[in-house]
Amino acid sequence: MSVTYLEAIRAAQAKALRENPNVYIYGQDVATYGGAFKSTKNLAKDFPGRVLDSPISEDAMVGSAIGASLEGMRPIVEMQFADFSANGFNQIVNHAGGYFYRTGVSCPITIRMPSGGNPGSGPFHSQCLESVYAHFPGLIIMTPATVEDAYTLLLEAIAIDDPVLFFEHKFLYNRVKAEKLPEHFSFSAGKARIHRPGRDLTVVSYGVTLYDSLAAAAELEKEGISIEVVDLRTVKPIDTETILHSVANTGHLLCISEGWPWGGVTAEVVARVASKGFHLLDSPPERMNSRDTPVPYHPDLWLAHKPSIGAIAKKIREMLDW
Amino acid sequence: MLNSLREPESEAVHLGFQEQYVSAFKWMLLARTVEDKIGALWRAGKVAGGCYLGRGQEAISVAVGIMLKPGDTFGPLIRDQAGRLAFGEPLFDILRTYLGKKTGPTKGRDGNVHRGRPRERIYPMISHLGALVSVVAGALMARRMQGDTNFVGATSIGDGGTSTGSFHEGFNMAAVERLPLVLTVTNNQYAYSTPNERQFACHDLVDRAIGYGVEGYSMDGTDLKECLEVAAHAVRRARSGFGPQMIVASCVRLSGHAEHDDGSYMEKTLLESPIGRDCIKVAHSFLVEQGWADESTVQEWRLNAKMDVEDVLQRVQREPAPVPEEEDWNAFSSHLIDPDLSA
């Protein structure tokens, strides 16, 4: 038996619905159809009246979740694609994000954001928007890469009293598997994890590029290069301590994301290390992102748009030759 | 004038209506008085930021606010001071917020009309118009899921706000869910400086009620009697399960968009038209005509309102401002988040 990343997301929602009567799911095609990616399959049947189809109204989906959360509910909003959250942007950043600071009352909503590219998905079904939302105060930004994190972080997102944006990567839905879901776990939002220990260089990543980083590390291992790979897990709050600790061990930093290059998570990580750990560095801190264009449709263009395993390995060799 | 969706029987002036009318009139006086005071404080440089008053819109605002019961939800917009007071917002809240006091509901973190008491179901607006419609709708959805009965929610919008996507999404969703939501569109003829003809192309905004599949009413927003009758009816319909109710109240904003705006672009003919009347003067005349109050009684109510405002203002002015060094610069509430990791 094994469980996929997608099944973990469904299992976390089922567990939350089962254990907390205030949890409900609201989104486009989430009820009878079970969601565009089937991440709510059968939940409407198992939990009548608590998995509801919404109109195509991202603004109202988020707005209604805010109102419901003020009445004690724990809404889970499914954006069909993270890209469409642009239509709910105002409610997310200005209404939900600012609620606690402005009013002293928290707004516990979870917004699931199916993110990132797949071959052929094109400009409007591929975006990685975690950096955009992380810029705004009051939003917790989760970016799980593993099956275990997809499960435990989603449960934590629902339990947290603040608005959480849960950036689940679509490329990972059916491609990563685990033996089973964790039964005992403690909440750990905001904590990064050393996914692969190493000596020579630190790669900080999250989401799908964690796997590209691990593949590059495996390739470089054959050349005698030992790479430490840090999985951010939650990009806001960001675990600066774990990153600095790793850079202190290796002396080199490369941060990798599928998001766009201007600003964003990789720029934030590099800035923090340059500012607080400059003395730890033996080479200039570097970062890799997708290219600064819309995400292209053709699979070959798409592959060339984002950091590849080969490009990551090449970059690391250059950094160590510096 | 009510449109054909309304039930045929007339809302006669019934027992208790006189008391309700008088009570609403007093809230209108208090709202006008405190807002005049806020305007004076703004001109004296004692208010940071903008100053947005509801002059001329007190009748429709109070009519909705007074029809709500404790436990109902109210999402007021910028010109809803009268409705806020009638629903139970203390006079302290407006003065503390405009003066940026640490004691206020936003502790100086937000100002002027962005105040509320979410735990008491008075929702604070954000500046992005229409955003509150779905928030109130979501709160009503939650109540229904929790098995509550006999509740309504009310929120307001202006003629300009009806042009936003957020308004449309929120109201359509409320209609799909058949929520007990009373939506008041106060058509005060201008959105900041933009007149109706640059804002929408339908004959009357109430025509949209048909499109949304909800019950709608169009009426004179300067006549407190009509406002109370229609609001009572709409709130009762919503509470009884007839779904969202759309009230379109026509009036004229009796000031600029904000105190920095003299409103010189407003057509004089509108101000001289029936909807350009001051609703407080209309109500005052009605009270006297009905024999429900004489001039000296109304004068006494005005003085009482003035004394109430002065009394609260004197206390609020002595209250402390927020201290930057003591401010908790944290936008997260959760104990699950290690504060050292924040930002």
Side-chain angles (χ1 to χ4, degrees):
Chain A
M1 276 298 284
S2 69
V3 55
T4 66
Y5 183 97
L6 182 68
E7 286 162 353
I9 289 167
R10 186 163 56 229
Q13 292 177 103
K15 181 176 164 70
L17 284 162
R18 196 161 49 241
E19 294 178 355
N20 186 344
N22 291 321
V23 172
Y24 73 97
I25 300 175
Y26 194 50
Q28 296 157 26
D29 310 297
V30 298
T32 309
Y33 190 65
F37 297 97
K38 301 296 170 198
S39 55
T40 56
K41 186 180 171 186
N42 292 333
L43 296 181
K45 182 163 62 68
D46 294 344
F47 302 96
R50 296 171 63 196
V51 182
L52 306 168
D53 282 335
S54 71
I56 303 177
S57 297
E58 287 80 7
D59 183 290
M61 284 154 56
V62 178
S64 69
I66 294 169
S69 77
L70 297 174
E71 287 290 350
M73 301 299 281
R74 294 275 164 168
I76 302 170
V77 172
E78 179 182 301
M79 288 289 160
Q80 199 155 72
F81 287 81
D83 315 46
F84 302 159
S85 72
N87 286 344
F89 188 71
N90 179 49
Q91 295 283 15
I92 297 171
V93 305
N94 288 314
H95 225 153
Y99 217 88
F100 174 69
Y101 185 73
R102 292 173 57 239
T103 71
V105 175
S106 63
C107 168
I109 66 176
T110 298
I111 305 176
R112 290 185 35 239
M113 297 278 214
S115 299
N118 265 305
S121 292
F124 309 116
H125 296 75
S126 303
Q127 293 170 355
C128 293
L129 299 176
E130 58 279 356
S131 295
V132 176
Y133 291 102
H135 189 68
F136 282 83
L139 301 171
I140 290 169
I141 310 294
M142 294 180 174
T143 50
T146 66
V147 173
E148 292 83 356
D149 279 350
Y151 183 70
T152 61
L153 284 177
L154 184 50
L155 287 168
E156 186 165 359
I158 297 161
I160 283 176
D161 286 337
D162 293 293
V164 179
L165 274 54
F166 187 83
F167 289 85
E168 51 195 59
H169 202 294
K170 303 194 295 289
F171 192 83
L172 301 177
Y173 273 161
N174 295 306
R175 287 187 175 88
V176 294
K177 295 183 173 70
E179 283 300 305
K180 59 184 176 61
L181 293 172
E183 282 166 27
H184 306 288
F185 51 90
S186 55
F187 282 167
S188 58
K191 299 276 196 289
R193 180 183 51 235
I194 310 288
H195 194 95
R196 179 193 204 275
R199 289 184 314 275
D200 298 330
L201 181 143
T202 297
V203 171
V204 174
S205 194
Y206 61 94
V208 78
T209 47
L210 178 78
Y211 294 96
D212 299 318
S213 306
L214 291 169
E219 191 179 313
L220 291 164
E221 194 174 19
K222 295 172 199 157
E223 301 166 26
I225 300 170
S226 166
I227 302 299
E228 179 147 298
V229 179
V230 177
D231 178 4
L232 283 177
R233 303 174 70 246
T234 306
V235 304
K236 190 173 185 182
I238 194 164
D239 185 355
T240 313
E241 282 310 307
T242 297
I243 299 167
L244 286 171
H245 189 76
S246 177
V247 173
N249 287 337
T250 65
H252 301 274
L253 170 71
L254 172 62
C255 189
I256 305 172
S257 158
E258 193 188 326
W260 284 304
W262 206 99
V265 176
T266 60
E268 186 68 32
V269 169
V270 167
R272 282 169 188 250
V273 171
S275 167
K276 294 182 179 168
F278 192 69
H279 58 291
L280 304 173
L281 289 163
D282 298 327
S283 69
E286 293 281 2
R287 62 201 189 103
M288 296 179 80
N289 287 85
S290 290
R291 295 174 195 269
D292 195 17
T293 67
V295 184
Y297 157 73
H298 193 281
D300 292 346
L301 289 177
W302 172 70
L303 279 173
H305 181 259
K306 65 196 190 84
S308 68
I309 297 164
I312 294 168
K314 183 164 173 280
K315 183 73 159 184
I316 291 171
R317 288 188 200 100
E318 285 167 10
M319 287 176 70
L320 293 175
D321 281 346
W322 188 76
Chain B
M1 185 197 295
L2 304 176
N3 81 358
S4 59
L5 286 170
R6 193 162 175 239
E7 286 176 335
E9 86 274 13
S10 73
E11 300 279 343
V13 175
H14 53 79
L15 196 68
F17 186 79
Q18 177 181 342
E19 288 86 341
Q20 199 168 51
Y21 193 101
V22 168
S23 172
F25 181 71
K26 288 181 184 173
W27 289 126
M28 291 165 71
L29 285 179
L30 188 59
R32 180 72 62 91
T33 306
V34 73
E35 290 200 328
D36 282 348
K37 177 57 76 176
I38 294 288
L41 290 166
W42 184 87
R43 284 188 294 281
K46 293 186 177 176
V47 172
C51 181
Y52 310 90
L53 308 182
R55 288 189 198 112
Q57 301 185 196
E58 291 92 343
I60 180 57
S61 180
V62 77
V64 173
I66 211 167
M67 295 304 164
L68 301 177
K69 295 177 183 171
D72 290 338
T73 300
F74 188 34
L77 215 69
I78 65 174
R79 305 188 203 283
D80 266 325
Q81 183 55 39
R84 286 172 178 269
L85 289 167
F87 185 56
E89 185 187 84
L91 197 50
F92 279 95
D93 285 17
I94 179 175
L95 289 161
R96 284 172 170 158
T97 308
Y98 264 106
L99 294 174
K101 297 298 186 181
K102 187 176 168 46
T103 46
T106 67
K107 302 177 184 168
R109 293 171 171 188
D110 204 341
N112 50 65
V113 290
H114 299 134
R115 64 186 188 276
R117 290 174 171 244
R119 291 276 176 259
E120 291 154 58
R121 299 197 171 104
I122 307 176
Y123 288 172
M125 59 171 284
I126 64 170
S127 300
H128 305 68
L129 297 176
L132 210 46
V133 178
S134 61
V135 174
V136 174
L140 302 177
M141 270 176 78
R143 302 279 296 276
R144 190 167 65 190
M145 281 190 262
Q146 290 161 349
D148 278 5
T149 53
N150 195 25
F151 57 91
V152 299
T155 191
S156 313
I157 198 86
D159 39 299
T162 63
S163 302
T164 65
S166 193
F167 167 81
H168 168 70
E169 289 193 12
F171 201 45
N172 177 63
M173 195 201 82
V176 167
E177 294 288 340
R178 279 188 75 75
L179 295 170
L181 175 69
V182 177
L183 175 92
T184 306
V185 181
T186 306
N187 182 357
N188 67 13
Q189 315 304 314
Y190 289 91
Y192 205 147
S193 73
T194 303
N196 276 183
E197 61 265 28
R198 299 298 304 165
Q199 198 67 244
F200 54 86
C202 53
H203 170 68
D204 184 321
L205 286 168
V206 80
D207 295 347
R208 295 191 184 172
I210 295 166
Y212 287 114
V214 303
E215 300 180 349
Y217 318 89
S218 180
M219 60 172 206
D220 178 353
T222 66
D223 180 354
L224 178 60
K225 177 171 174 289
E226 192 171 343
C227 289
L228 287 168
E229 287 171 354
V230 173
H233 175 84
V235 169
R236 193 168 56 241
R237 293 283 290 176
R239 211 183 288 283
S240 315
F242 291 93
Q245 307 283 307
M246 182 182 196
I247 300 172
V248 178
S250 295
C251 61
V252 178
R253 198 182 64 204
L254 298 181
S255 54
H257 166 63
E259 287 302 275
H260 65 262
D261 168 21
D262 66 3
S264 55
Y265 45 82
M266 293 169 74
E267 294 284 348
K268 295 281 176 295
T269 49
L270 267 177
L271 288 162
E272 289 155 6
S273 74
I275 58 164
R277 298 181 300 175
D278 180 342
C279 58
I280 289 186
K281 287 183 184 163
V282 174
H284 181 157
S285 303
F286 184 80
L287 281 165
V288 174
E289 281 164 24
Q290 295 291 309
W292 294 349
D294 57 20
E295 291 295 343
S296 66
T297 308
V298 174
Q299 186 57 23
E300 192 186 320
W301 292 340
R302 284 183 191 278
L303 279 173
N304 287 344
K306 206 161 185 249
M307 279 161 54
D308 285 350
V309 170
E310 288 299 335
D311 176 50
V312 173
L313 177 61
Q314 280 182 29
R315 287 197 262 171
V316 169
Q317 278 181 319
R318 291 196 295 270
E319 291 175 351
V323 181
E325 293 75 21
E326 294 170 5
E327 175 70 355
D328 184 7
W329 298 104
N330 181 13
F332 292 129
S333 73
S334 181
H335 66 281
L336 294 172
I337 296 296
D338 181 348
D340 291 341
L341 292 172
S342 297

Coordinates of all heavy atoms in Angstrom, one line a residue, chain B residues 70 80 110 117-118 151 158 210 231 325:
Chain B
P70 N -30.5 42.1 18.2 CA -29.3 41.6 18.7 C -29.1 40.2 18.2 O -30.1 39.4 18.2 CB -29.5 41.6 20.2 CG -30.5 42.6 20.5 CD -31.4 42.6 19.3
D80 N -23.0 55.1 7.1 CA -24.0 54.4 7.9 C -23.9 54.7 9.4 O -24.2 53.8 10.2 CB -23.8 52.9 7.7 CG -24.6 52.3 6.6 OD1 -25.8 52.7 6.5 OD2 -24.2 51.4 5.9
D110 N -6.4 51.3 12.4 CA -7.2 51.7 11.2 C -8.1 52.9 11.7 O -8.3 53.1 12.9 CB -8.0 50.5 10.7 CG -8.3 50.7 9.2 OD1 -8.2 51.8 8.7 OD2 -8.6 49.7 8.5
R117 N -17.0 45.7 15.3 CA -16.9 44.9 16.4 C -17.3 43.5 16.0 O -18.5 43.0 16.1 CB -17.9 45.3 17.5 CG -17.5 46.6 18.2 CD -18.5 47.1 19.2 NE -18.0 48.3 19.9 CZ -17.8 48.3 21.3 NH1 -18.1 47.2 22.0 NH2 -17.3 49.3 21.9
P118 N -16.3 42.8 15.3 CA -16.7 41.5 14.7 C -17.4 40.5 15.7 O -18.3 39.8 15.3 CB -15.4 40.9 14.2 CG -14.5 42.1 14.1 CD -14.9 43.1 15.1
F151 N -32.3 34.6 12.0 CA -31.3 35.6 12.0 C -31.3 36.2 10.6 O -31.7 35.6 9.6 CB -29.9 35.0 12.3 CG -29.5 33.9 11.3 CD1 -28.8 34.2 10.2 CD2 -29.8 32.6 11.6 CE1 -28.5 33.2 9.3 CE2 -29.5 31.6 10.7 CZ -28.8 31.9 9.6
G158 N -23.2 51.7 -2.2 CA -23.6 52.9 -2.9 C -23.9 52.6 -4.4 O -23.6 51.5 -4.9
I210 N -34.2 41.6 -10.3 CA -34.7 40.5 -11.2 C -33.6 39.6 -11.7 O -33.7 38.4 -11.7 CB -35.6 41.1 -12.3 CG1 -36.8 41.9 -11.8 CG2 -36.0 40.0 -13.3 CD1 -37.4 42.8 -12.8
A231 N -37.8 48.8 5.1 CA -36.8 48.1 5.8 C -37.5 47.0 6.7 O -37.0 45.9 6.7 CB -36.0 49.0 6.6
E325 N 6.4 52.6 20.5 CA 7.3 51.7 21.2 C 6.6 50.5 21.9 O 7.2 49.5 22.2 CB 8.1 52.4 22.2 CG 9.1 53.5 21.7 CD 8.4 54.7 21.2 OE1 7.2 55.0 21.6 OE2 8.9 55.4 20.3

